Amino acid sequence: MRVIPLMTAAVVTAGLYYAVIERDALLAFARGEQVSDETASSDVSEPTDASATTAAAAENVAPQAAGADKADNSGVRVVALRSTARGIDSAVVLRGQTQAIRQVEVRSETTSTVLSEPLRKGAQVKAGDLLCKLDPGTRPSTLLEAKARLSEAKIRVPEARARLDEARARLKEAQINLTAAAKLSEGGFASETRLASSQAAERSAVAGVATAETGLETTSAGIEAASAQVAAAEKELARLDILAPFDGLLESDTAELGSLMQPGSLCATVIQLETIKLVGYVPETEVNRVTIGAGARAELANGRNVEGKVTFISRSADPTTRTFEVEITVPNPDLAIRDGQTADIVISAEGSKAHYLPQSALTLNNDGQLGVRVVEDDMTVGFYPIQLLRDEASGVWLGGLPEQADVIVVGQDFVVAGVSVAPTYKEVSQ
């Protein structure tokens, strides 16, 4: 009755022995590898039933592994892809939207009521077309009054010039009288009173000339003031006709008939779509790869593909996102591209060498750095940090690898740098 517990204890003891003491031999047996001499000798030293079974199994596996390479038997089995770097157009990919090349809100500059019938949104307008006609009110009378004042100011000019000539003549006469009185006074033929009177008359004549010159200048200033009033009145009349600033489309109805317009009131919104902009934002790590004049293409949300060139790169980063605005000009003669559509933009940049690999080949090292693990020449694992250049549906283009690289694509997450491996190579086309 006690034989079965004794046999159970013996089996458990043998299992624990191989699980703890002979773990290497047990793992080698599980992988189908040949048992080493050291393991065989340890098996002989422990003549148990379990050791005999392990030895027999190792002898059966040994013929199957006889043709295998020694390095392969000693490394972790992985699958590697022989990859060669290829030249690609290292494009900058970003997301943006379309914008009209021009968009203006045409507003009133004066106060009045609308007299014209409204134009409906979507209508095509030309530069100079009337959008809103405002009531002139008393503005024509104001213009006539300003012109009358201008004519009056111009009429006063000859009178002012005549007064100046008269004053200058009186000054000349006073100067002659003063000279004569001074000479007579020196010879004792004229009294001091006459000399003083001549001096006073000369000074009065000088003052008269100054007054006449001032009057002429005042008249000239009146002409300029009247001219300014005429110009202001004409400008005020011109503000009554609100015109389209350029060729485009009405994005809104023009102001309704009879509505009161004040300075700043909206008459209409005009947009121009014959040429359109693609606006996106490039991160600061990629902005130096974008140049003015670089070719670009974009796929709109409706599936349409368009092409254009980079025409603007911002010099100042957005303070919130730390990105730089980029504008791409695209022709739109048929007006098929609308303002505000979402676009996936690809900007061409300087080409580079890259490896095309499956996304599953990417892994992280112990420092959390993204990269790939490769098989080195000595059949050990190496790790290379990578640069993700382009992401496609069937794989990724990676930079930062040597020209030739045996990239581990199966088993890379179970090995680390320096570990020996037994690779099985996979062709690129597979």
Side-chain angles (χ1 to χ4, degrees), residues 27-380:
L27 291 176
F29 170 72
R31 290 195 298 261
E33 298 177 356
Q34 186 176 2
V35 181
S36 62
D37 296 338
E38 182 181 354
T39 304
S41 61
S42 62
D43 292 343
V44 174
S45 62
E46 294 292 332
T48 61
D49 295 339
S51 63
T53 304
T54 303
E59 290 176 0
N60 293 332
V61 173
Q64 300 176 4
D69 185 72
K70 182 178 181 180
D72 293 341
N73 291 335
S74 61
V76 180
R77 296 185 180 277
V78 295
V79 177
L81 179 68
R82 294 187 183 275
S83 177
T84 303
R86 290 178 281 173
I88 65 166
D89 179 13
S90 183
V92 177
V93 180
L94 59 149
R95 195 171 180 84
Q97 64 179 9
T98 61
Q99 284 187 7
I101 193 70
R102 287 181 177 179
Q103 179 168 340
V104 175
E105 293 180 344
V106 185
R107 299 181 179 272
S108 173
E109 298 180 75
T110 187
T111 301
S112 188
T113 55
V114 179
L115 296 179
S116 59
E117 292 290 338
L119 300 176
R120 298 307 175 187
K121 54 187 175 182
Q124 183 82 34
V125 295
K126 298 291 184 179
D129 286 355
L130 180 65
L131 301 179
C132 296
K133 176 70 174 178
L134 304 184
D135 183 11
T138 60
R139 292 175 179 84
S141 300
T142 303
L143 176 59
L144 292 176
E145 181 181 0
K147 289 181 177 180
R149 289 179 179 175
L150 176 60
S151 299
E152 182 182 358
K154 289 180 178 180
I155 291 173
R156 291 177 181 175
V157 172
E159 180 183 356
R161 288 177 178 174
R163 288 177 182 176
L164 178 59
D165 293 340
E166 181 183 0
R168 287 174 177 173
R170 289 179 180 177
L171 175 60
K172 187 175 182 179
E173 179 184 3
Q175 289 173 345
I176 293 173
N177 292 334
L178 177 61
T179 302
K183 289 182 178 180
L184 290 174
S185 176
E186 290 176 358
F189 298 102
S191 63
E192 293 293 332
T193 303
R194 182 180 176 182
L195 178 60
S197 178
S198 298
Q199 290 176 343
E202 191 267 342
R203 290 174 183 173
S204 176
V206 170
V209 171
T211 301
E213 289 177 345
T214 303
L216 181 59
E217 291 177 357
T218 302
T219 303
S220 299
I223 294 175
E224 293 179 358
S227 299
Q229 291 178 357
V230 171
E234 290 175 345
K235 182 64 176 178
E236 186 67 16
L237 282 174
R239 290 171 177 168
L240 299 176
D241 294 337
I242 304 178
L243 308 178
F246 49 79
D247 298 350
L249 296 172
L250 287 180
E251 190 65 11
S252 65
D253 293 342
T254 60
E256 188 61 51
L257 173 66
S259 58
L260 176 64
M261 303 291 285
Q262 295 181 347
S265 298
L266 179 65
C267 170
T269 301
V270 184
I271 63 173
Q272 190 178 66
L273 295 175
E274 284 78 6
T275 301
I276 205 159
K277 296 185 296 185
L278 302 177
V279 181
Y281 293 87
V282 180
E284 54 187 340
T285 57
E286 300 284 336
V287 68
N288 288 336
R289 299 176 57 205
V290 181
T291 58
I292 298 293
R297 64 180 185 275
E299 182 178 359
L300 305 182
N302 58 8
R304 175 169 180 168
N305 294 314
V306 295
E307 294 183 358
K309 291 186 177 182
V310 177
T311 55
F312 171 76
I313 304 172
S314 174
R315 292 289 179 176
S316 176
D318 185 278
T320 303
T321 61
R322 307 306 304 168
T323 55
F324 293 83
E325 182 180 0
V326 175
E327 292 184 1
I328 300 161
T329 302
V330 176
N332 185 31
D334 56 355
L335 307 183
I337 306 175
R338 302 175 184 271
D339 180 36
Q341 289 184 273
T342 303
D344 293 324
I345 305 171
V346 178
I347 303 174
S348 61
E350 185 179 356
S352 62
K353 292 283 189 176
H355 291 260
Y356 187 69
L357 299 170
Q359 295 179 356
S360 59
L362 301 180
T363 186
L364 297 174
N365 63 4
N366 293 334
D367 298 329
Q369 194 172 17
L370 183 66
V372 294
R373 291 191 171 93
V374 301
V375 179
E376 302 287 3
D377 295 337
D378 58 355
M379 294 300 168
T380 59

